[in-house]
Structures are given as C-alpha cells and as structure tokens.
Amino acid sequence: MSKKKSKNKTVFHGVEDMPVAAISEGDMSWNKTGSWRNIRPFYDEKTSPCIAGCPAGTDIQGYIQLMLDKKYEEAVRMLWQKNPMPSVCGRVCYHPCTEACARGEIDESINIPSIERFLGDYAIDHNLTETADGDPKPDNGIAVVGGGPGGLSFAYYMAKMGYPVTVFEAKEKLGGVLQYGIPEYRLPKDILDKEIARITGVGMTVKTGHDVGRDVPVDDLEKYSACFLAMGLQRSRALGIDNEDAEGVMAGLSFLKSVTAGNPTDLGKRAIVIGGGNTAMDVARSAIRMGTDVEVVYRRTRNEMPAIEDEVEEAMAEGVKFTFLATPVGIFTKNGRITGIRAQRMELGEPDDSGRRRPVPVEGSEYEIETDSLLVAAGELSDTEAFENIVKLSWGLVVTDDAGQTSDEHIFAGGDVVTGAATVIEAIARGRKAAKFVDAKLRGVVGPETDEKQVITMSDINRAYFTPSRQVPTTHIALGKMKNRFAEVKQGFGEDEAQQEIERCMSCGVCNGCDICWMFCPDAAISREDGIYTINYDYCKGCMICAQECPRGVISSEREGT
Amino acid sequence: MKKIVIEGNHAVSYGAKAADVDVIAAYPITPQTQVVEKLSEMCASGELNAKFIKVESEHSAMAAVVGSSAAGARSFTATSSQGLLLMHEILHWSVGARLPIVLANINRAVGPPWNVWTDQNDSLSQRDVGMLQLYCESNQEVFDTMLHAFWVSEQLMLPSMIILDAFYLSHTCEIVEVMDADEARAFLPPYEPKHFLSPEKPKSFGNLTTPDFYYELRYQIDRDLRKALDLMKEADDRFEKLYGRSYGIIEEYRTDDADMLVVTSGTVTSTARTVIDELRDVGKRVGLVKMKLFRPFPTEDVRRILRRAEKVVVIDRNIGFSIGGIWAQEIKAALYNTNIDVPVFGFIAGIGGRDVTPRVIKEIIDQAEHMDVPDQDVYWIGVKNEQLHHTR
C-alpha cells in the first residue's frame, strides 16, 4: 500500500462500523501488479497462411478486413499493391492461397478466388483508375519487352513509382498468354482488356506490333536506363516424330491463338490433344466447344498432370476423354493429311528430376487411334535467339538471380522466359520484385526492405471461436446449358455471397479488433483506443490469458529479463 | 395471476421470470435441465428480458452470476448434484462477497455409482457455506419460495438456495398459480444494490483482508444469516397478505396433543401427511413437523414445538456417514443445553431415490413406538439383509 493511502486509512471502531463485504474505497491503481509478471505478452502480428501461400504475397487478410466494412475501393487498392490483375487472377490463378488457408483445417478454406474476382470486377464496374504516386523520375526510361503478365506487372510498378516506361509487344494486343492463350470461357476478353487498360492508364508508352529483335533492333534497348525481358514462351514443343508437318497436325498454342482471335481452325470430327498441362486443358476444352470429339493423350497418369485440378475436372465434366499412360510415336497420313496416330502404352518407372515417376514405354504395346487432327501441347519453348549475345541463356531461358538481374547490369528479366512454363501469379510476383529492385538500384540505395514475419500455423488459432461453416461455392455453368459455348464457365460472387464468404475469414495472425483480449484481461491491463490495444505493463501480471484466448494468434510472449 | 399445470422445474423457471431476473447463467444437468430450457426459451422469445449466459461448467455458471450480481444485476442459477458440488468454491465466494444470488438445486444423489434420483446429500453438503437453504414440498411452494428467496437475500446481501426433490417434484406436473413480474413487484421490488462493480467507479471487491477484519466479516455473516429467520417470517406474512398463500418457516401438522412428532423435509412430507391422517383415524397421537429452513436453522421453533412430544422421529433422506442423518444431528444439537428431554430417533430412508411409501413411514413410526429410547444413532430402514442394523 502506498504511503499516501496508509495515512488516509479508514479506521473501524468495531463490527457495526464495518461494511458487510471487503470493498475498497478507491480504485486499485496504486497496486502495480506488473511486478508479479515473469512472462510478458505483446502484440506481434504475423503473416496469414494465405498471404504466405501467394507467390506475390497479396494481402488477402488485409483486403478481406476492409471488405467486411464494405470499403471495396480501399480493398482493391490494397490488393493492387501486390497484384495489379485481380480480375484475371480471380479467374485463372491456381490459387495456392486457398490451398494454404488455415480455415481448411477447420471446415473448408475460404473461396479466395471468387472474392478476389469480386474485388477486381468491382474496380472495373466502378471505373476505378490509378495514377503514378511516386515523384517523376528524371530518367532515360525503362523498356519492357513483352506485354504479358510478367512484363505488365513490372511496367505497372515502375510507372507507379514515376518512371517513364515503354512496353514493346510483338503482337497486336497486350496480354501475352492471357490474350492469346487462355480462352474466353475462362477469361473473357473484355475483362482482360479493361484490367490492362487500367494498368496502362497509370501512364506508360505501349508499342504493340513491335517485335524486339525483328521490328526493333535489340541495340535500341541500350538507350534506356534499364530493360526488362518478359517475352514468355512462344512456341509449342514439337513431338519429334515423323509426319509432324502433315495437314491437321498443329501446335496447341497456334490453335488457341486462332480460337482467341475468333477464327478457330477446323478440327474435323475427332481431335487428339497431346499433353497434361494447362495448355493441353485449354486446347481440349476449346476443341470440345467446337463440337469436336476430343481425346487427351498423356504419357503419365492423372496424378502427375501439371494442369490445375479444377481444369481437369471441368474438362472431364464437359466430355473430354482422357487416355493416360500413352504417347504418340507415329502419324498416319493420306494425301498429306493426318488420318490417325500410332500410340504406345507407357508405364511409370523411377522418379525423375521433377519428382514425378518417369514414363517408360511398354514393349510391343503400340496401337492406332483414328483422328482428324492432332494438337500438340506437350510443353512450350522460348524464342530468345535475338538475345543470345546480350544476356546469358540456359536451354533458351534467360538466366537471372532471385531479383531478376541478368548477366547484363542494365537488363532484368522475369516471367516464363526465366522460369519456364509457370503461372500468371508467379510472373506478376517476379515483375513486382524486379521493379522494386530496379528502382532501388537506379536510386543507388540498398535493395528494397523485406519484412519477413512469422507465418501463423493452425496451432496458433483458437478453434473455440470458429463455428464450422461451409464455403460459399463458385457456381459453374454446365457446357450443355450454354448458348454461347465460349461463355464464361465460372460465375462470380455477388456482394451478398462475397460478404457471406469473407465473414468466414479468421484473420489469422492479424488483429481485427475483436476485443477478446480486452474483455478477458483479468487485470483490466489492456486498453483500447481507435481499435488499437495497448498492454499496461504496470498492471499486466503475465497470466497470458490474452494470448491463450486470442482467436487468431496475434499475441506472442517472452520471458521477462531475457 | 393464472393457474397452469407445470412440472417443478418449470415452477422454478416461472419463479425466476416473476422475480424479473436480469442475468441467468446455468449449465444443464439431469434432473435440472428443464429449468434452463424454459428460461432460455423465455429469453429467446423476449418474454423475459434477461441476459442468458452460456457456460461450460457449473463452476463457471456460479462464477458468472457472482460477476453479474457484483455488478448489481439480479442473478439466478440452477443446478443439481455433481453440478452443485463443482460450484462449492464459488458458493463460499458468493457468501463472503455478500451477493444476493438465488440458486435452485434439484436434490439428486451423488455418484458414484451414477444415480439421477433424489436425495439430499448434495445440498446438505453445502451446510456451512452460509447460504439460506429452503426445502420445498410442492410446485406451488417452489414458485412462491423463489420470490421469498430473492426478497430475503437482497435484504441481507446473502445468497439463497431453494431445493426440490428430483423427479418427485422436478418432473411431476401440478397446478401452479403463477404471476408475472408486474404482479410480483408488490412483493419483490426491483433490486437496488448499495455497492456494485462499475467501470465509472473502479473498486476492488474481496481483496486481501487481514486477521484484524476478516474475523468481523465472518461474524457479520453469522449474525445476518440468523436474521433470515425473522425475514422469512416477514416475507411469508407479506406474501400471504398479497397473494393468499403461506408456508411458515416450519409447519406443524396435527401436532396438538401428539405424543410422537415425525420430522420431515421435501416431498416425504406429503406422504407423511397421509400417514398421519390414517394413524390419527385409528386414534394414534402422532403429528408431523415439516422443516422448510435448514439454513438458517430454526432452533427456537424446533425447541418450542418438540418440547411437547414424548418421542421425536426424524426421517432423513441423506446420510452423514458414521454419525447419522443430517437433519437428526441438527435437531439433537438444537435440543441440547436445554431442559428438553425428548428421545430423538434418527431414521434413514429414500436415499438414491428409493421410494418412501406410506408403508415405509408406518414402519418407521411402528419401530419407534416399540422403543423407549433409541439404542442406535441411526436406523437404516429397509436395508436388504436387515438383521445387521435393524432391531425390533
């Protein structure tokens, strides 16, 4: 008891003077119980698993919290800070965020793709635009070669920081694989074009129809302060068998280009698609939309297919036939036109470098399949000959370090031309990372700061606070019910569905102002002001009830005196 | 006021509603569950404007009402058997903190072995916590006693336990005249606490108190709990004037000129009334004393009534192992240090829900009639293989 209090101590003369219960006259703030503490709790926000799962580190938890307050514009602007293409990614991404979502360990993961798509489309519907927010840079400018997702991501972040950016795109339109590879039923062109228009609207010079190395001399790039190569993969890998030049045999990418251009190549009654990746699925599903019987022939099994699981399931639902453990070894022709293939049965042997079991031919198992066309989607190759003497290449791919730096100090690279066939979100991530690095380098400062926080795990989540609930599913339109067979298959969320789904977000590792710590602190040592909680260590006894109760593992602890 | 047919558990619920409680925290347990079910329905429908706090144990239920009562809310909980035992620590707290909580306990035998039927060992084990203990005989008495209990508790700032037998009352339907809070307000005005927890005026409740003062605080509890005898009588009188029903704190039934007085509590009383009537019809001078209060113990009333008898027979639906029935112990203690010299026969019956039929009560009376003084502390009636305990 403090001295002051001792002096003013109430004196009781006898039992009749006394109150019936021990109740203090004043408050107990003189009793600084913090001295009893040997463990110190502290607020320590962590990274949500969804964010850690996204190659671009999109702040999914953050934008969901804003969406809960219906601050959709703020939410989408937060999203753009890591990924400028939510309408695209909400539709075509393989969503590793959802795979990582901790909610999946309680009931079902959050349907992040549909939420992301809702936000992206909100920006489009509301004509949200962006401007550069960095100071204009007195600079010779930045050149970007290739206007696919990687190049556009890099160009966007450089332009946002105030750099003059010029994008060279060999084709007529920007978008790369999004424009010429991914069919309309997955990614409608008007959505893509609007999202790209917003990106270029930040302020950049776009030169379409400019193929660097053919229309533009490679040497011209030297006049820029820095250059970013993101040409992607241009060519389908050939099978290397006889008669591959027969009429009716074509590269999967060429077929997709004809489809996306609205002028699809006639495939006849039957088509065989070779391959098990996303391009093969796009080819097969586009072909079946033209009324062709489609059979995918893949040399391994379904388990080894690199395609997104959803795409395979939808292809099957739409009637694409699959033949696993088979590979074409010859092409039959008549009058220079394909009539069928000779296929060989395979079996799985030892694992190869990719960890997948290697397909091994089964002797004497060859058989014939009749077909009117053969679409080859067994991998894509780069087209980097023009850069052979400028940057170091390996198997046709540009060699870079982690930040995108090539062997030439002024040249950086990203996207599939660096990684080989990868994903849209990885290309976007590399584009942004390289932009941050190039900016730091041009300004002569040390590389961009990294803010690596601990990733939260399910063991940090207090399950008691989360009642099991079902995911709000994405609606799919069956092919048989479509008038326009290239209309979008997956339907987006309305606001109600989006709100219903984001309510399920546990905000793992990040405080969302739920008040649980504040309510539970037995010493009233936690105060709350403007949604910020503060622990008063004069009174915190270190009971750790706050940390135990926190539904989302925000509060960490350390031993006093360490 | 209206008459409805309800089970004893719902009489508790309607009683809490008539008392216009502010906070209810309870954990369901057989045979108390319907108390909580009905109250949660009343809260959900808005019929009763109270905060219903879901908890994960009886310890938490009692702790929650301790918190709400300390914050100045009229607070209620209900439990039974193991649940009451789990509350034990907080029962002491509620007394020491002087909180006028009302708790309904459905008397159920304690395990193991598991048993859901009635006996009084759960509530009587809380003998010394300092709560009022009020035993009821009918569903109407349950309803009315709920209101008595809140009024007396709030006068004294001490908690009350109202007690009813498992199944014989809890699950048995009777006609009960119930009233709503508006009608009950004349008897039970809104609770106005003198001290309460408030964020505007922080105070510490129940903190460290040295031997200089702890002793006096305990003295006050003892002094004030004794005051409950007069307050219960006052409550009973006021209630009778307002609503026409009275129970007293101890009831004498056909005790005039009785040589033998049979002392009972709970529903055994109703059975005993019919036995007394039958025996009176054949000329036996037997009377009945119904104990409603166990705490505070009505020592003076017990002395006043029992001193007239030649024999006292206490039927205990409970056992204080190695010493006898608990009511019998209390009655013997009340008669000591007086000039009353009446033999007290302690009989045990009905433990673990075994039926105490008129025949059992007649057998008890018959056995006592054939002895001048008891030759044992306790007689277990109806133990199979009786010759061990039973002399005739």
Side-chain angles (χ1 to χ4, degrees):
Chain A
M1 199 176 272
S2 71
K3 280 182 182 171
K4 186 175 170 237
K5 198 72 199 172
S6 299
K7 278 180 196 164
N8 298 335
K9 194 163 139 184
T10 308
V11 177
F12 299 120
H13 298 290
V15 65
E16 298 306 327
D17 289 350
M18 287 172 59
V20 295
I23 300 172
S24 67
E25 295 187 323
D27 68 33
M28 296 294 288
S29 54
W30 55 271
N31 189 3
K32 297 200 170 168
T33 50
S35 61
W36 308 6
R37 183 179 63 247
N38 59 40
I39 297 174
R40 167 182 290 249
F42 59 96
Y43 292 97
D44 178 29
E45 292 200 333
K46 302 170 185 73
T47 300
S48 311
C50 53
I51 299 175
C54 175
T58 309
D59 194 353
I60 297 158
Q61 175 278 332
Y63 71 64
I64 285 180
Q65 293 305 309
L66 289 169
M67 288 175 76
L68 284 166
D69 292 336
K70 304 204 171 179
K71 294 176 179 169
Y72 300 125
E73 181 171 342
E74 276 180 61
V76 75
R77 290 190 190 279
M78 176 184 272
L79 203 175
W80 288 338
Q81 289 177 20
K82 295 290 172 64
N83 174 5
M85 307 181 105
S87 281
V88 167
C89 289
R91 289 171 167 83
V92 306
C93 187
Y94 67 112
H95 44 79
C97 48
T98 291
E99 303 264 316
C101 173
R103 182 99 212 187
E105 293 185 43
I106 291 183
D107 38 52
E108 292 175 323
S109 342
I110 307 291
N111 189 342
I112 300 170
S114 290
I115 294 166
E116 182 184 28
R117 169 175 167 170
F118 171 83
L119 265 192
D121 290 1
Y122 177 92
I124 290 172
D125 294 344
H126 291 76
N127 293 315
L128 299 186
T129 57
E130 290 189 276
T131 50
D133 43 27
D135 298 331
K137 304 288 189 294
D139 192 270
N140 293 332
I142 309 291
V144 179
V145 183
L152 282 174
S153 167
F154 177 86
Y156 167 82
Y157 289 107
M158 292 306 285
K160 284 281 280 180
M161 289 184 281
Y163 289 93
V165 177
T166 305
V167 181
F168 295 97
E169 168 55 52
K171 299 205 173 70
E172 286 169 43
K173 296 181 83 175
L174 289 174
V177 69
L178 305 173
Q179 192 69 261
Y180 296 102
I182 296 180
E184 287 260 8
Y185 65 86
R186 284 179 66 199
L187 176 59
K189 290 289 169 271
D190 64 320
I191 295 287
L192 174 66
D193 290 344
K194 284 173 181 164
E195 195 141 67
I196 290 174
R198 197 200 78 250
I199 289 171
T200 56
V202 174
M204 59 183 74
T205 307
V206 176
K207 297 193 172 181
T208 50
H210 284 62
D211 189 344
V212 175
R214 203 175 63 205
D215 309 322
V216 180
V218 174
D219 293 347
D220 274 14
L221 297 177
E222 284 177 20
K223 70 180 187 197
Y224 294 93
S225 300
C227 167
F228 187 73
L229 306 182
M231 296 84 78
L233 304 176
Q234 309 298 319
R235 299 178 288 136
S236 286
R237 187 193 299 272
L239 294 170
I241 58 178
D242 289 344
N243 294 333
E244 226 175 315
D245 55 355
E247 204 182 327
V249 180
M250 73 186 293
L253 285 181
S254 308
F255 169 68
L256 285 176
K257 195 176 168 188
S258 74
V259 171
T260 53
N263 180 27
T265 310
D266 181 15
L267 299 176
K269 283 184 184 165
R270 286 202 55 174
I272 290 172
V273 178
I274 306 298
N278 286 320
T279 306
M281 294 306 102
D282 287 342
V283 168
R285 294 182 66 193
S286 296
I288 207 157
R289 279 170 165 70
M290 293 164 57
T292 308
D293 286 340
V294 183
E295 178 174 351
V296 170
V297 175
Y298 179 52
R299 59 193 182 138
R300 305 191 212 222
T301 74
R302 187 173 175 187
N303 292 337
E304 288 80 29
M305 285 179 77
I308 299 170
E309 182 67 22
D310 268 9
E311 295 296 315
V312 180
E313 276 174 22
E314 281 175 25
M316 286 179 169
E318 289 169 358
V320 172
K321 287 191 278 291
F322 283 79
T323 299
F324 296 110
L325 292 168
T327 196
V329 291
I331 294 170
F332 299 108
T333 59
K334 189 176 176 185
N335 302 328
R337 184 170 177 91
I338 185 168
T339 58
I341 64 166
R342 193 165 75 244
Q344 180 164 45
R345 297 277 185 203
M346 311 294 276
E347 61 186 7
L348 293 180
E350 294 300 309
D352 63 12
D353 294 345
S354 71
R356 297 178 300 170
R357 291 173 69 188
R358 187 193 305 274
V360 181
V362 178
E363 286 297 322
S365 66
E366 291 177 18
Y367 69 110
E368 290 177 21
I369 317 173
E370 283 182 22
T371 188
D372 300 317
S373 49
L374 179 67
L375 301 162
V376 182
E380 283 107 40
L381 299 170
S382 65
D383 204 352
T384 48
E385 276 172 36
F387 297 90
E388 249 173 3
N389 300 319
I390 297 170
V391 292
K392 187 180 171 191
L393 302 176
S394 171
W395 297 95
L397 299 178
V398 179
V399 178
T400 72
D401 69 7
D402 196 39
Q405 174 79 65
T406 68
S407 57
D408 183 302
E409 207 184 343
H410 293 99
I411 302 178
F412 301 81
D416 281 1
V417 79
V418 171
T419 55
T423 60
V424 173
I425 192 66
E426 281 172 68
I428 288 172
R430 282 180 171 267
R432 179 176 178 277
K433 192 168 188 177
K436 295 281 172 193
F437 184 77
V438 169
D439 170 57
K441 190 164 180 176
L442 292 178
R443 289 191 293 120
V445 298
V446 185
E449 70 293 340
T450 52
D451 186 15
E452 294 286 324
K453 290 184 199 161
Q454 184 195 337
V455 178
I456 203 145
T457 62
M458 196 57 214
S459 63
D460 301 314
I461 301 288
N462 187 346
R463 286 172 180 252
Y465 286 94
F466 302 102
T467 310
S469 61
R470 303 300 301 244
Q471 186 189 79
V472 180
T474 302
T475 308
H476 293 61
I477 307 267
L479 185 53
K481 294 188 175 163
M482 287 185 180
K483 275 186 191 162
N484 169 10
R485 295 171 67 82
F486 278 90
E488 195 167 12
V489 171
K490 290 182 184 170
Q491 302 300 299
F493 273 177
E495 185 177 358
D496 289 348
E497 289 164 303
Q499 283 292 338
Q500 191 186 335
E501 185 62 358
I502 60 178
E503 283 277 336
R504 301 177 62 242
C505 173
M506 304 193 291
S507 189
C508 303
V510 185
C511 179
N512 64 355
C514 73
D515 282 351
I516 294 291
C517 55
W518 177 75
M519 285 195 288
F520 270 80
C521 176
D523 292 295
I526 297 176
S527 58
R528 178 190 61 179
E529 204 167 334
D530 298 333
I532 307 289
Y533 304 100
T534 311
I535 299 174
N536 186 336
Y537 292 106
D538 280 349
Y539 300 104
C540 167
K541 290 188 196 127
C543 70
M544 299 308 291
I545 288 175
C546 55
Q548 285 287 322
E549 283 302 321
C550 177
R552 48 206 105 255
V554 174
I555 302 173
S556 298
S557 66
E558 62 189 6
R559 201 155 271 285
E560 287 291 348
T562 56
Chain B
M1 279 187 274
K2 60 175 176 180
K3 287 185 176 171
I4 54 175
V5 178
I6 48 172
E7 59 183 42
N9 279 340
H10 286 175
V12 173
S13 316
Y14 279 97
K17 186 190 163 200
D20 199 17
V21 295
D22 300 313
V23 175
I24 299 151
Y27 190 80
I29 181 172
T30 299
Q32 156 266 35
T33 307
Q34 293 80 4
V35 175
V36 187
E37 282 177 349
K38 192 74 188 174
L39 284 168
S40 66
E41 284 168 17
M42 288 172 172
C43 290
S45 71
E47 190 183 339
L48 171 58
N49 181 23
K51 173 78 179 170
F52 188 98
I53 304 175
K54 287 187 285 182
V55 286
E56 78 294 337
S57 75
E58 287 85 357
H59 191 278
S60 300
M62 191 62 202
V65 291
V66 158
S68 60
S69 183
R74 184 172 282 166
S75 304
F76 174 75
T77 185
T79 189
S80 187
S81 186
Q82 320 290 134
L84 184 66
L85 304 186
L86 184 56
M87 284 181 175
H88 180 75
E89 179 196 1
I90 316 296
L91 299 182
H92 276 287
W93 189 283
S94 68
V95 172
R98 304 300 298 261
L99 301 170
I101 296 160
V102 172
L103 180 160
N105 182 66
I106 320 301
N107 268 149
R108 165 185 158 181
V110 172
W114 230 223
N115 179 303
V116 297
W117 297 274
T118 198
D119 77 35
Q120 298 173 330
N121 263 90
D122 55 354
S123 54
L124 292 175
S125 294
Q126 315 308 322
R127 196 176 70 169
D128 297 328
V129 299
M131 294 176 88
L132 281 80
Q133 287 202 19
L134 312 168
Y135 288 78
C136 299
E137 183 191 351
S138 69
N139 291 353
Q140 185 69 61
E141 187 178 5
V142 167
F143 177 87
D144 295 344
T145 306
M146 282 289 290
L147 295 166
H148 295 175
F150 272 110
W151 185 75
V152 175
S153 279
E154 289 168 10
Q155 300 301 306
L156 294 172
M157 300 301 284
L158 283 170
S160 292
M161 186 188 302
I162 93 150
I163 297 139
L164 52 151
D165 288 345
F167 302 104
Y168 293 114
L169 279 193
S170 71
H171 287 61
T172 302
C173 285
E174 294 180 339
I175 297 169
V176 178
E177 186 171 71
V178 297
M179 53 186 126
D180 59 27
D182 288 336
E183 291 163 321
R185 206 159 284 131
F187 173 79
L188 179 65
Y191 173 43
E192 282 171 14
K194 289 195 193 82
H195 307 278
F196 54 92
L197 278 171
S198 161
E200 281 72 46
K201 208 174 173 191
K203 285 172 185 284
S204 170
F205 284 59
N207 56 358
L208 184 76
T209 302
T210 61
D212 282 348
F213 297 112
Y214 184 89
Y215 191 82
E216 278 71 21
L217 292 172
R218 294 288 124 169
Y219 166 81
Q220 290 179 334
I221 294 170
D222 184 56
R223 178 195 65 195
D224 293 350
L225 188 57
R226 289 166 189 271
K227 291 181 186 166
L229 291 170
D230 285 342
L231 284 166
M232 277 300 292
K233 284 175 193 162
E234 186 184 335
D236 194 57
D237 290 346
R238 285 205 305 116
F239 199 90
E240 185 180 19
K241 285 195 186 92
L242 286 163
Y243 311 112
R245 286 187 298 274
S246 164
Y247 304 91
I249 61 168
I250 188 165
E251 182 194 342
E252 295 178 60
Y253 183 68
R254 303 185 80 169
T255 54
D256 291 345
D257 75 11
D259 296 333
M260 180 190 285
L261 291 176
V262 178
V263 182
T264 57
S265 58
T267 54
V268 172
T269 308
S270 300
T271 316
R273 283 179 205 277
T274 66
V275 173
I276 298 296
D277 288 346
E278 277 183 43
L279 295 177
R280 282 280 182 181
D281 288 349
V282 297
K284 289 197 175 169
R285 304 209 309 193
V286 192
L288 177 67
V289 179
K290 168 190 168 184
M291 302 295 291
K292 182 179 173 92
L293 263 69
F294 177 73
R295 283 292 180 272
F297 195 77
T299 304
E300 289 304 325
D301 290 294
V302 165
R303 287 175 181 163
R304 176 177 52 77
I305 296 165
L306 298 190
R307 71 184 316 138
R308 306 196 301 260
E310 286 173 16
K311 284 181 188 171
V312 171
V313 170
V314 183
I315 302 178
D316 266 297
R317 195 171 218 157
N318 64 78
I319 176 66
F321 293 116
S322 88
I323 187 142
I326 296 168
W327 289 98
Q329 290 169 50
E330 300 286 324
I331 284 165
K332 283 189 238 174
L335 299 179
Y336 199 74
N337 284 348
T338 65
N339 59 4
I340 305 165
D341 184 16
V342 55
V344 176
F345 293 79
F347 283 89
I348 305 299
I351 286 183
R354 186 173 294 185
D355 216 358
V356 182
T357 60
R359 191 172 154 180
V360 170
I361 294 172
K362 274 185 217 162
E363 190 183 337
I364 289 169
I365 291 169
D366 185 48
Q367 196 174 326
E369 270 186 337
H370 286 83
M371 288 189 286
D372 292 330
V373 289
D375 58 354
Q376 289 179 202
D377 279 345
V378 59
Y379 298 95
W380 283 73
I381 253 334
V383 174
K384 289 157 187 160
N385 188 16
E386 290 180 8
Q387 62 268 39
L388 281 179
H389 304 281
H390 188 182
T391 55
R392 185 179 277 259

